[in-house]
Amino acid sequence: MYNQQQKIGSIMFVRALEGPANYGERESTVQYFDEQGNMFIRSGGTRAWRNNNPGNLVSNDYTMSSERRAKAIGKAAGFAVYPNYQIGHQALVDMLGGKTWGAKTLRKASKDYTPDNLGHIDSIVQETGFDPERKISSLNPVEFEKYWKAIEKIEKWKTGQETPVDKYYITGVHMHGGTIQEYCIRKNGADVWITKQQAISLAQNWQLHAIIVHGSNGIVYLRPEYKAKRFRDMVC
């Protein structure tokens, strides 16, 4: 069973969100987060690569179920997002090899897999040479591998750009009348003072280690992350 988190050195991807499209592009970006809340943005390439989802499985009860060994960690543009290729691939294999899909013919599977692509089964037959009326369950291990490889080839996997986004720590605060007015953040190795609104803006863009709170009186403020020190205990 694959670990549910992606490892790159000490990085662990545990959550993902759909991000805005880059300027001039139609496709949305995908935001990945590690255990510390640091963000990495994937852009360009194909949707399969951006989502770590080689089969382009849609986001539904199957892909998002916590009972699945290959559970998605988020969704983007209606499709599941996985921690890495291996887990996304495993989700595809588990689905195709399960009882529900195993009982389908290749033709029926293509129709259900991608209803808008009427030529999907023709592409499958071209890649595999299989009779479209065969059931998936009738494929032996070698044939089954050929089948899922054909699907992944059709869905396309092309890499784009993966960009880390700096996330800053609050190292101190200035208070006035019991209310925080300025925050000191550690940026590029130096302490920088910013306004409360600037700090909130950074937090909204996942670039600050803080939690945004919307008070019942309509006031928006920041509080420390879980188990982090209180801001007033910090000295800049």
Side-chain angles (χ1 to χ4, degrees):
M1 182 181 300
Y2 291 108
N3 191 300
Q4 293 296 320
Q5 301 162 317
Q6 156 114 345
K7 294 184 178 181
I8 300 180
S10 60
I11 298 175
M12 305 285 283
F13 291 151
V14 298
R15 188 165 63 94
L17 295 172
E18 179 178 356
N22 284 341
Y23 179 77
E25 295 184 4
R26 293 170 49 191
E27 300 290 348
S28 61
T29 57
V30 179
Q31 302 170 345
Y32 288 86
F33 299 87
D34 64 15
E35 288 184 317
Q36 287 71 47
N38 299 308
M39 182 169 69
F40 299 76
I41 298 178
R42 279 198 173 188
S43 60
T46 57
R47 179 175 58 215
W49 175 79
R50 289 193 302 275
N51 289 19
N52 273 322
N53 184 353
N56 276 326
L57 302 182
V58 299
S59 175
N60 55 26
D61 291 342
Y62 170 81
T63 55
M64 305 302 292
S65 173
S66 59
E67 298 179 358
R68 302 292 177 189
R69 62 172 173 169
K71 176 182 177 294
I73 57 172
K75 63 180 180 179
F79 293 83
V81 179
Y82 292 95
N84 56 25
Y85 164 82
Q86 289 81 5
I87 294 177
H89 162 72
Q90 191 63 51
L92 172 65
V93 171
D94 287 349
M95 185 186 80
L96 296 176
K99 291 182 179 179
T100 299
W101 283 79
K104 299 176 187 285
T105 64
L106 300 186
R107 187 184 302 280
K108 173 63 174 171
S110 284
K111 182 178 179 181
D112 293 345
Y113 192 86
T114 174
D116 296 331
N117 183 2
L118 300 180
H120 188 268
I121 184 58
D122 297 327
S123 298
I124 291 292
V125 172
Q126 183 178 356
E127 289 292 330
T128 64
F130 297 157
D131 180 348
E133 304 310 322
R134 286 185 65 180
K135 291 185 177 181
I136 295 177
S137 60
S138 74
L139 303 176
N140 63 40
V142 174
E143 291 174 326
F144 183 67
E145 180 177 350
K146 194 173 184 179
Y147 178 53
W148 63 252
K149 281 185 175 180
I151 290 178
E152 291 192 1
K153 181 178 180 180
I154 294 168
E155 296 303 322
K156 300 179 182 178
W157 180 278
K158 180 181 178 181
T159 59
Q161 299 78 43
E162 184 172 284
T163 307
V165 176
D166 290 332
K167 192 165 186 179
Y168 309 114
Y169 284 95
I170 295 172
T171 56
V173 296
H174 276 161
M175 300 186 68
H176 180 72
T179 302
I180 297 175
Q181 300 296 329
E182 293 182 305
Y183 291 83
C184 184
I185 63 173
R186 182 60 57 85
K187 185 175 183 180
N188 299 325
D191 291 327
V192 179
W193 284 99
I194 60 176
T195 66
K196 176 181 177 181
Q197 190 54 49
Q198 288 173 322
I200 291 175
S201 179
L202 285 175
Q204 289 173 331
N205 290 317
W206 305 96
Q207 289 186 267
L208 189 65
H209 287 281
I211 297 173
I212 300 175
V213 179
H214 296 267
S216 58
N217 57 0
I219 296 176
V220 180
Y221 61 95
L222 301 177
R223 72 181 185 194
E225 294 176 315
Y226 180 62
K227 291 188 176 181
K229 293 181 180 180
R230 292 178 297 176
F231 294 147
R232 66 173 179 266
D233 291 339
M234 303 175 188
V235 178
C236 188

